[in-house]
Amino acid sequence: MTRILIRCDASLLIGSGHVIRCRTLARELQRRGAEVCFLCRRQPGDLIGLLEQEFQVLALPEQPLVACEGLEGSDLYGAWLGCTQEQDAAQCLEILAEAAIKSPRWVVADHYGLDAHWEAQLLAGLAGRDAPPQLLVIDDLADRPHQADLLLDQNFFGEATEQRYQDLVPPHCRQLLGPHYALLGPEYAQLHPLVFPRTELKRVLVFFGGVDPDNLTGRALEALLDPSLADLAVDVVLGLQCPHRKEVEELVARRSHTTLHGPLPSLAGLIARADLAVGAGGATTWERACLGLPSLVVAIAANQLPFAEALDRAGYLQLLGDSDSVSTEQIRSALVMKLADHSAGEISAALTDGCGASRLALAMLGISGASISLRPAVSADEALLLHWANDSQVRANSLLSDAIRPADRQKSL
């Protein structure tokens, strides 16, 4: 059986996004017959218990909390790791040896605090008498080198998307870049062709991630208390680690037509029936995009801002700003404007069809044992066909080498 190791963390500081998207990948790999083992560090908000419901988890020892206030960039991400990269790699190798886990086919690393130094040490330690495993890196930042055989970055940066890792990975590394490879649950691919464009605003979904430390949920609910928005139905989702549940519950109780949901197996149902989302700029961006949900977005982390700005410029969402600057009044004003003119301007469903996890699993495991079937193309395949047409090798062998823009393709149909 193919064994795959996944190194990722969740915490009150990091959030839950890395673990949730790795769980999505792990489910797909497991469905295809692979054996998946997670390596996660114990810390407040770690989600180890959640993963243990489905997978083997080897827990790295908890480290003393590091003060992160004032830290930025690599210093902040290093603090999230809780120790040096050398210590983390050594602890991973030690716990793997204790569990008698040898010769994995793949190692998956999804952590901003890890780079080529950790990767080299871990892969060398796992090689032994056998060839080292292959390495998949899942990243969003493009700010450090990797020794990856395969790299996934599901974010959108317009024309710059394909160039971000040019000098950061080995020449042989295969790069899967853009929302076409977003790691979404299978329910999103199933619903993708079934959801129609929104033509009116009746229901709003509010979700700011698994932690929401700045209580943006509260700001959004205060905005929705405006009398002009009173007829809107509102679904509010709080993550496992939200520290502001009491304040949110009080606001929900003050507003009619408002439902508070705890952690859900999937947001797909709420996204499909909503007409507008107010939420963060993290992984849920691609879930909303897949189901064509117009969104008012607040970047809750520095790394979310660049791709949220790119999506805003391209008309895929409306960026309100970052969590430090966005006020209740700003959210209220944006909602009132949407209510007055809720045109379906966003074309976000063209960004992803929800099959990214399947594509990544195929890149890792190959087509051995996989069944291949044919079906007629449908209108929901437009984004996929455009992605194929814009493949670098296709463009290099075409009469016109420039990438085809969605608007140009639509004009030609």
Side-chain angles (χ1 to χ4, degrees):
M1 180 177 290
T2 300
R3 176 174 284 124
I4 296 172
L5 306 178
I6 300 179
R7 174 72 184 95
C8 62
D9 283 336
S11 74
L12 296 179
L13 293 173
I14 297 172
S16 60
H18 298 270
V19 164
I20 296 303
R21 68 184 178 187
C22 284
R23 184 184 65 171
T24 297
L25 173 61
R27 286 172 170 172
E28 181 64 22
L29 293 168
Q30 187 170 263
R31 188 184 70 82
R32 293 169 181 257
E35 182 181 277
V36 180
C37 176
F38 280 83
L39 294 99
C40 302
R41 189 168 298 283
R42 292 197 182 279
Q43 50 199 324
D46 55 37
L47 297 186
I48 288 174
L50 181 69
L51 291 173
E52 287 177 332
Q53 297 174 18
E54 301 178 61
F55 306 100
Q56 180 183 13
V57 181
L58 300 180
L60 300 171
E62 185 170 356
Q63 301 282 32
L65 291 176
V66 177
C68 294
E69 187 174 352
L71 297 180
E72 297 181 355
S74 59
D75 292 334
L76 175 62
Y77 305 137
W80 285 359
L81 191 60
C83 60
T84 68
Q85 294 193 62
E86 291 75 17
Q87 290 171 327
D88 191 279
Q91 289 173 354
C92 287
L93 292 170
E94 180 180 356
I95 200 169
L96 287 168
E98 292 174 354
I101 293 179
K102 301 177 181 178
S103 304
R105 180 172 170 184
W106 282 92
V107 171
V108 180
D110 186 355
H111 200 300
Y112 297 159
L114 302 177
D115 62 23
H117 298 291
W118 180 92
E119 295 156 8
Q121 183 177 342
L122 189 82
L123 295 178
L126 288 172
R129 297 179 181 177
D130 303 318
Q134 291 185 284
L135 174 67
L136 162 65
V137 171
I138 301 176
D139 193 23
D140 307 289
L141 305 179
D143 66 345
R144 61 205 189 281
H146 296 290
Q147 290 196 359
D149 299 288
L150 184 63
L151 181 136
L152 168 72
D153 184 336
Q154 61 190 15
N155 296 296
F156 175 88
F157 290 89
E159 295 180 359
T161 299
E162 301 292 329
Q163 310 301 322
R164 301 179 70 228
Y165 293 87
Q166 189 168 7
D167 300 317
L168 297 175
V169 294
H172 72 272
C173 178
R174 181 181 178 188
Q175 300 178 44
L176 306 182
L177 305 174
H180 187 65
Y181 300 101
L183 298 176
L184 307 182
E187 65 273 18
Y188 289 94
Q190 294 165 5
L191 288 171
H192 174 71
L194 304 178
V195 178
F196 292 99
R198 281 70 170 180
T199 58
E200 55 185 343
L201 178 53
K202 292 185 176 181
R203 181 175 290 273
V204 176
L205 171 62
V206 178
F207 176 62
F208 283 95
V211 179
D212 189 16
D214 298 319
N215 197 18
L216 285 157
T217 303
R219 288 186 228 175
L221 284 171
E222 288 176 356
L224 284 159
L225 288 171
D226 186 282
S228 66
L229 304 172
D231 291 335
L232 292 176
V234 177
D235 290 299
V236 182
V237 181
L238 287 185
L240 283 169
Q241 311 299 336
C242 181
H244 303 288
R245 174 171 293 275
K246 184 176 180 180
E247 299 97 307
V248 170
E249 288 174 345
E250 291 173 353
L251 287 167
V252 168
R254 290 172 55 190
R255 191 185 188 280
S256 59
H257 312 304
T258 304
T259 304
L260 178 61
H261 304 267
L264 299 171
S266 172
L267 290 176
L270 294 181
I271 291 174
R273 72 173 182 172
D275 303 306
L276 178 71
V278 184
T284 313
T285 298
W286 315 121
E287 297 174 348
R288 298 188 301 252
C290 182
L291 302 186
L293 181 60
S295 302
L296 301 175
V297 170
V298 180
I300 63 173
N303 65 285
Q304 293 181 6
L305 196 56
F307 76 81
E309 289 173 338
L311 289 165
D312 180 85
R313 288 192 297 269
Y316 291 120
L317 52 76
Q318 182 178 342
L319 176 64
L320 300 181
D322 61 33
S323 57
D324 292 333
S325 62
V326 172
S327 65
T328 296
E329 171 56 29
Q330 189 176 353
I331 298 173
R332 186 202 68 81
S333 178
L335 285 165
V336 169
M337 291 183 64
K338 282 289 186 181
L339 186 62
D341 181 22
H342 187 60
S343 59
E346 291 91 347
I347 51 174
S348 59
L351 282 168
T352 179
D353 59 6
C355 296
S358 179
R359 294 186 179 103
L360 180 54
L362 185 64
M364 297 173 70
L365 302 179
I367 62 173
S368 176
S371 60
I372 298 176
S373 59
L374 300 177
R375 62 167 174 79
V378 296
S379 59
D381 295 322
E382 180 181 344
L384 175 61
L385 297 174
L386 182 61
H387 181 81
W388 287 347
N390 280 331
D391 181 89
S392 57
Q393 293 186 8
V394 174
R395 302 313 320 148
N397 290 283
S398 300
L399 293 176
L400 300 176
S401 60
D402 292 342
I404 304 170
R405 296 179 301 176
D408 294 337
R409 177 177 173 80
Q410 290 164 1
K411 289 178 183 177
S412 66
L413 295 177

